[in-house]
Amino acid sequence: MHVVVIDPNLPAVAAELEAALDAAAPGARVSWHPRFDKQAVARDLPGAEVLVASRYTASLVPLSSSLRLLQCPAAGLDAIDTGALPAGVLLANTGHHERSIAEHVLAGVVVLRRRVREQDVALRERGEWASSTFDASLPLARGLDGARVGFVGFGAIGRACWAPFAALGAVGAAVTGSGRLDAGAHGLAWAGGVDEPGHLDRLVGESDVVVLSAPLTPATTGLVDDRLLSLAPPGAVLVNVGRGPLVDEDALFEALASGRLGGAVLDVWWRYPGGGAAGGSAGSASGSAGPVVGAPGTREWGALANVVASPHSSSITRQTLLARVADVVENVRRLTTGEPLVNTIPR
């Protein structure tokens, strides 16, 4: 069994993957590609039965005659051309990123609502004790007990993000694509449909924190625009861990720059380095050994102090990758024994 891995993250747990694979499918060998190098992939992919990658294009079809499984090492299939995938090749994905993302979301919201960044800079750089305890002109910190948190999308990520907010006493609400969410079953105050008149407006208008984790579709592209942002309460925080284009970039930047919006936690963007898609797929620069440089959008996001910015990294922790390794190895094992695979994607 020959397994080709094209992924910038899994090499960090290469030893664990190879050890687990050796136990599950003795004799299996792995060819590692931290980034998509056409010539290197062209050498290794012919003869391989399993391709572990988040990207597949028509250019790989001539190299895929022996391929039996395309295992995406993440949940998103944005960069996989399923129409090009040869008939008979199974497609599967994995996840396990929900808790990592939830930690990131909670941390970012706390940093903004409690003014941690401003206090840190003031104390380090100027020796100022920037707290209402020492300076009565400064506002009190805002905790999460009683804060209103609204979710646009309430799948696995939304539910995981809601758990720590709920534990800290927040009040939750959600709008979803189906509109069939049982609010009471999840401890939410109410739930509605994103397409139902007034529900999204109400959610944004009532929420101190809005968390976006909805999928990117033609219908959700630009969903959060200037009009919707204008409904947010003063000091509200927007979190985007879905896809950058869910939000109109100019509208968000202006709302933050003017102070109309309190802050934003942004882990997904409108531009990615190396030709990566706006949907968040890694480009050719992924897996580089040194720093990768590239603006995440058309505006000067680095100039805004009320933004917690991260390079699409909220899901990438050791725990996430080890759980994904387990899924990859299990599907390779099942492929060798003829058992049904897990997390297969119909096509």
Side-chain angles (χ1 to χ4, degrees):
M1 175 74 69
H2 182 196
V3 180
V4 174
V5 179
I6 308 172
D7 187 75
N9 298 309
L10 289 180
V13 288
E16 290 84 352
L17 188 149
E18 291 189 3
L21 191 61
D22 186 60
R29 66 185 181 93
V30 183
S31 297
W32 290 96
H33 298 268
R35 64 187 183 93
F36 188 89
D37 181 302
K38 185 178 292 186
Q39 290 184 336
V41 171
R43 288 195 303 269
D44 282 340
L45 190 54
E49 296 173 76
V50 178
L51 172 62
V52 180
S54 297
R55 177 182 179 185
Y56 189 90
T57 64
S59 66
L60 296 179
V61 173
L63 310 174
S64 304
S65 60
S66 60
L67 196 63
R68 298 171 61 193
L69 168 64
L70 172 55
Q71 172 71 60
C72 180
L77 304 173
D78 307 72
I80 292 178
D81 184 349
T82 55
L85 199 61
V89 177
L90 296 170
L91 174 64
N93 69 348
T94 182
H96 303 291
H97 51 295
E98 298 88 357
R99 287 191 175 184
S100 296
I101 293 174
E103 288 181 10
H104 185 98
V105 168
L106 181 66
V109 169
V110 169
V111 163
L112 288 172
R113 284 177 56 86
R114 301 195 64 158
R115 301 180 59 250
V116 174
R117 174 176 289 167
E118 295 95 323
Q119 291 178 343
D120 178 79
V121 170
L123 197 56
R124 286 175 181 271
E125 298 183 0
R126 301 186 299 275
E128 293 180 9
W129 295 62
S131 162
S132 59
T133 300
F134 300 97
D135 183 347
S137 68
L138 295 175
L140 284 168
R142 293 174 297 163
L144 288 167
D145 189 13
R148 301 163 299 177
V149 183
F151 294 87
V152 181
F154 203 71
I157 293 173
R159 293 193 299 272
C161 289
W162 167 231
F165 284 114
L168 290 169
V171 178
V175 294
T176 64
S178 70
R180 295 191 296 268
L181 182 66
D182 183 344
H186 296 282
L188 300 171
W190 65 273
V194 71
D195 294 326
E196 296 179 55
H199 284 196
L200 183 58
D201 285 8
R202 176 187 173 187
L203 183 90
V204 173
E206 291 180 352
S207 298
D208 301 303
V209 179
V210 175
V211 180
L212 305 177
S213 62
L216 182 66
T217 68
T220 60
T221 298
L223 181 69
V224 179
D225 55 14
D226 184 70
R227 184 199 67 82
L228 193 65
L229 290 170
S230 71
L231 303 177
V237 172
L238 178 77
V239 179
N240 192 1
V241 289
R243 289 292 186 260
L246 291 171
V247 183
D248 180 279
E249 181 183 2
D250 289 330
L252 178 59
F253 188 91
E254 295 300 333
L256 290 163
S258 68
R260 183 156 50 91
L261 195 66
V265 179
L266 303 178
D267 187 52
V268 290
W269 301 91
W270 299 269
R271 290 182 175 177
Y272 282 74
S281 303
S284 60
S286 61
S288 297
V292 174
V293 177
T298 61
R299 305 302 295 267
E300 294 293 330
W301 290 98
L304 299 180
N306 55 350
V307 173
V308 173
S310 53
H312 206 141
S313 59
S314 65
S315 66
I316 304 303
T317 62
R318 181 172 176 79
Q319 288 85 345
T320 296
L321 295 183
L322 289 177
R324 289 177 173 178
V325 161
D327 278 357
V328 171
V329 171
E330 176 64 12
N331 268 351
V332 172
R333 185 193 69 78
R334 288 170 178 249
L335 193 68
T336 62
T337 61
E339 299 174 57
L341 273 59
V342 297
N343 299 321
T344 53
I345 307 297
R347 59 186 188 88

